[in-house]
Amino acid sequence: DGLAQTAGILNKFGARSAASGNTAVLTATADATSVNGSHTLHVDQLAKQDTLTTKKFTDSATDVITAEGAGTKTIRIAVDGTNYDINVSLTGGDTNKTILTNLAAAINADASASAKVTASVIQVDSTSSKLVLRSDQTGLDHVMTLTNVTGTLFTTTDLRDSAAADDATNRGGFIYADSALDAKFVLDGLSLTRASNTVSDALTGVTLNLLAAQNGADPSLTLTVGPDKTAIKTSVVTMMKICMFD
């Protein structure tokens, strides 16, 4: 046990750190393969999840069932190169809120689809709601595509991937344009794009955690990679105590 403890302490003498000049914008960690150095970084945009919304519906009204008709409707959600077909049952007299709720429940109950997307019904105000569909992962690589297979439920609810949502005209659609889905940052003068806000392939041995976007006029922050002096100091003190009491 003593040898194992000593070995563990000695390993910490090689501990590395990555110190951010603005931890509200970026935090980072470094492993043993990282290289000493100072870097500049500016976060232009955070990665986001593709998000689609229906238009706003009055909860107690029956617009959807009147337009769509009763029966089983099949919708298709395509994400990450795979199609997920989901059946939704509509019953005569269903209110808009009931149909939105059942649509969200059907999507979330599908074991395969729910591993990729999440549907929620949002109460916009005391009498109206929207359904919101979100990809579970950030980035353009995980954008969703919607298709009506039987029936026109996506069309009737105005849940679509081809146009931007607009509250002013009560139009459903996407919340973020494709160009807004990937993280964008400038590292040492190079403009980079990644699908995630956790970036482990830009600097060898360093993982960047992008936390907030900066304004264009904001100065770049400094990222310093080097020995983890705090961990090393702690290891020295621990080693001295072991030697003193051996």
Side-chain angles (χ1 to χ4, degrees), residues 9-10 27-29 84 98 102 154 182 189 218 236:
I9 295 169
L10 289 174
T27 60
T29 57
Y84 302 99
T98 296
N102 290 345
F154 279 150
D182 282 339
D218 290 342
V236 169

Side-chain angles (χ1 to χ4, degrees), residues 9-92:
I9 295 169
L10 289 174
N11 285 337
K12 291 182 180 180
F13 281 101
R16 311 282 296 161
S17 71
S20 168
N22 187 341
T23 54
V25 173
L26 171 82
T27 60
T29 57
D31 64 27
T33 66
S34 62
V35 178
N36 291 352
S38 181
H39 307 272
T40 60
L41 191 144
H42 192 282
V43 180
D44 298 327
Q45 174 176 291
L46 292 182
K48 304 174 188 67
Q49 295 161 276
D50 186 28
T51 305
L52 310 176
T53 178
T54 67
K55 67 180 182 180
K56 182 172 72 172
F57 285 96
T58 300
D59 291 339
S60 59
T62 55
D63 310 41
V64 178
I65 193 66
T66 299
E68 190 67 21
T72 299
K73 315 298 177 179
T74 303
I75 57 172
R76 176 173 294 159
I77 302 171
V79 62
D80 293 344
T82 301
N83 294 331
Y84 302 99
D85 287 0
I86 300 163
N87 295 323
V88 186
S89 295
L90 274 60
T91 303

